[in-house]
Amino acid sequence: MKKYRLSRTFFARPTLLVAKELLGKFLVRKIDNKKVAVMITEVEAYCGERDLASHARFGPTPRSKIMWGLAGRAYVYMIYGMYFCLNVVTEKNRKAGAVLIRGVQGVNGPGKLCRKFKIDKKFNGEDVVKSKKLWIEDRGLKIGPGQIKRLPRVGIDYAGKYKDKLWRFVLSR
DNA sequence: ACGATGATGAAC
DNA sequence: TTCATCATCGTA
């Protein structure tokens, strides 16, 4: 089965759609000339500056402005002083959006994922469309609607009416 | 249930 | 400059 690296046009689409379609794709990380590739099993969508759960809710700040930028770049930030979270920027026409990669096969949780894949602040801004160190591949796996569970997002109780939105997508075997 | 641990954004 | 908060995780 041919492997296709996901292109700019894949990411430059509505955030919810990109989030859903990232399930079953493979996160690929090259470390010391060795490739690690694991299937993405859990994601969360952060949609625009109106989304009160998103870092974009304060408008473009030094940290979050990348969410308004080119789709397909990584948004990596430190959380709770000890973990990193990996997101990929989505949308076009300078609309804010990103998808948090919450889990891959065998690794649950965005913090552990970044630790395992050695993804830190240096990867903030990395262009996942062009990078030689981090990208996402379509390996031909087809995911049916019945395999996707929709759940509320984690750790965003403060987000008012946005906290119950089913913008977390989990792949169930 | 809670502490580790530091970046972030808001308020002053 | 200070302060509360936080898209987490491991231990309990």
Side-chain angles (χ1 to χ4, degrees), chain A residues 44-46 49-55 57-58 152-165 167:
Chain A
E44 282 178 5
Y46 289 86
E49 37 195 311
R50 313 274 293 280
D51 178 0
L52 296 177
S54 173
H55 292 169
R57 68 190 182 280
F58 301 119
R153 293 172 292 178
V154 172
I156 52 143
D157 283 351
Y158 57 85
K161 65 176 179 179
Y162 284 87
K163 86 177 164 68
D164 299 315
K165 297 234 178 265
W167 287 353

Side-chain angles (χ1 to χ4, degrees), chain A residues 6 51 57 80 106 113-114 126 134 155:
Chain A
L6 297 185
D51 178 0
R57 68 190 182 280
Y80 302 116
L113 186 156
C114 284
E126 185 88 0
L134 179 69

Side-chain angles (χ1 to χ4, degrees), chain A residues 20-96:
Chain A
K20 255 182 288 193
E21 294 195 6
L22 277 175
L23 293 177
K25 302 296 190 288
F26 284 75
L27 184 66
V28 187
R29 172 82 170 91
K30 201 170 193 181
I31 307 171
D32 301 332
N33 246 10
K34 290 207 179 8
K35 268 203 296 192
V36 189
V38 190
M39 191 177 67
I40 295 170
T41 54
E42 183 172 352
V43 298
E44 282 178 5
Y46 289 86
C47 306
E49 37 195 311
R50 313 274 293 280
D51 178 0
L52 296 177
S54 173
H55 292 169
R57 68 190 182 280
F58 301 119
T61 65
R63 176 174 69 161
S64 69
K65 63 183 182 209
I66 189 168
M67 294 182 74
W68 281 259
L70 187 63
R73 291 202 308 199
Y75 170 36
V76 180
Y77 60 88
M78 169 160 273
I79 188 76
Y80 302 116
M82 30 174 58
Y83 295 103
F84 292 98
C85 289
L86 169 66
N87 301 246
V88 185
V89 174
T90 57
E91 301 285 350
K92 52 183 177 180
N93 301 327
R94 306 193 64 75
K95 189 167 145 39

Side-chain angles (χ1 to χ4, degrees), chain A residues 113-124:
Chain A
L113 186 156
C114 284
R115 204 173 43 185
K116 176 176 159 87
F117 279 78
K118 293 195 176 8
I119 293 166
D120 60 17
K121 206 69 210 276
K122 293 197 294 289
F123 280 81
N124 190 37

